[in-house]
Amino acid sequence: MLYRGARDGLEVFLVHPGGPLWAGRDDGAWSIPKGEFDEGEDALEAAKREFGEETGLSVAGPFQPLEPVRQPSGKLVYAWAARSDADAGAIKSNTFAMEWPKGSGRTLEFPEVDRAGWFPVAGARRKLLKGQVPFVDQLQRYLSLRPRRRTVSKM
């Protein structure tokens, strides 16, 4: 879960799923960039790989682990927070194939992610899939608890 400070406060980076099933959906349809990982695979390395596949961007740490969140489907999602200023307009997603329209016998390619954006916390809560909103709460808690850097001016 990428985050950055903005003039009006904290913003988080979200992606919108591509394909015809999500085309008309907005509120409650966005996600943090994520994917699946194999047993024995390092979850953070898999998360960085999936982020790259879904956005075409790379992300550097440090990474703050967030507590895994169980989705309504039962799937457990692992996430990390990292400060970044990724260019949401520069994403280039991998694609997937599906029969569309269903029953037509035609297979079409669609981007896994069709757009990305930076959202203030309130907007992110509205845009995110319901099961991922707890990550925003965790991020806010983490940022409020971490030590602040102090700057000293020399006179």
Side-chain angles (χ1 to χ4, degrees), residues 18-152:
L21 302 178
W22 296 95
R25 297 183 59 193
D26 190 47
D27 286 355
W30 292 67
S31 175
I32 61 172
K34 61 176 183 34
E36 297 186 6
F37 61 98
D38 296 323
E39 189 172 328
E41 184 178 13
D42 181 78
L44 177 56
E45 291 305 312
K48 291 190 289 188
R49 180 194 72 237
E50 290 289 336
F51 183 90
E53 289 176 3
E54 289 189 357
T55 67
L57 306 172
S58 61
V59 62
F63 297 97
Q64 171 63 36
L66 301 174
E67 289 296 318
V69 174
R70 188 156 310 276
Q71 302 300 285
S73 67
K75 186 186 303 185
L76 194 58
V77 175
Y78 295 82
W80 289 260
R83 178 179 289 279
S84 179
D85 197 20
D87 182 355
I91 68 158
K92 182 165 176 46
S93 179
N94 59 344
T95 61
F96 68 95
M98 71 180 282
E99 181 185 22
W100 192 257
K102 189 173 175 137
S104 69
R106 290 186 356 196
T107 301
L108 300 175
E109 291 275 325
F110 298 98
E112 192 171 341
V113 166
D114 61 14
R115 62 189 182 274
W118 285 98
F119 295 91
V121 169
R125 287 178 189 285
R126 189 175 62 255
K127 298 292 183 191
L128 267 170
L129 293 162
K130 181 181 171 185
Q132 293 181 21
V133 171
F135 288 127
V136 175
D137 299 332
Q138 289 185 50
L139 175 63
Q140 286 188 292
R141 243 185 340 271
Y142 161 69
L143 293 175
S144 70
L145 294 175
R146 80 181 176 170
R148 302 271 189 253
R149 283 189 180 164
R150 295 179 186 217
T151 56
V152 177

